[in-house]
Amino acid sequence: MTLFARFSALVLAFFLALPAMAMSLDEAKNALESAKSEGLVGETPEGYLAAVSSDQKAKEIASAINDARREAYKKIAEKHDIAVTKVETVAGQRAVEKTPKGQYIRVNDRWIKK
């Protein structure tokens, strides 16, 4: 199995495990799809969410999800003895690729509706 495939599997497992985390993260996860569909948050190539607008709720959702992602990326990097930035890059690429039509992604520091 290639290194990229391993990372992809681990990132997917992380996203499936999100509901088992803390309550504030659960609330953010429950609000995430709606926030993405409304164009309030989008995926970035760095592997994190960002608020598309200045909406405070969008910023809180992105922050809670990003905190969990950051911890997961760190664990994956430690487990495979690689840089966290590599994990972030792979996760970001996958998240951008999987973003459905009509939702936002950041490309060259610009928000684009896919």
Side-chain angles (χ1 to χ4, degrees):
M1 183 181 275
T2 67
L3 188 58
F4 182 77
R6 286 183 188 160
F7 288 130
S8 297
L10 290 171
V11 169
L12 177 61
F14 165 71
F15 287 128
L16 294 175
L18 280 177
M21 294 182 173
M23 186 58 147
S24 61
L25 180 57
D26 285 342
E27 292 170 353
K29 186 175 182 319
N30 288 336
L32 181 59
E33 286 307 313
S34 172
K36 282 183 169 184
S37 295
E38 294 172 21
L40 300 176
V41 298
E43 294 287 349
T44 70
E46 296 83 19
Y48 297 100
L49 292 170
V52 174
S53 67
S54 60
D55 183 83
Q56 186 59 36
K57 184 177 179 181
K59 290 178 182 178
E60 291 173 11
I61 291 167
S63 179
I65 299 291
N66 288 342
D67 287 346
R69 286 183 180 184
R70 195 170 289 108
E71 286 301 311
Y73 297 162
K74 182 180 172 184
K75 288 178 184 176
I76 293 167
E78 288 172 357
K79 181 177 180 178
H80 295 282
D81 195 30
I82 59 168
V84 173
T85 55
K86 177 64 176 169
V87 178
E88 291 169 334
T89 301
V90 171
Q93 180 183 11
R94 302 279 296 158
V96 167
E97 287 172 0
K98 289 186 173 195
T99 296
K101 184 176 179 179
Q103 293 183 6
Y104 284 89
I105 57 172
R106 192 167 61 201
V107 178
N108 298 325
D109 293 325
R110 223 176 79 217
W111 288 110
I112 295 175
K113 194 171 194 176
K114 207 170 176 189

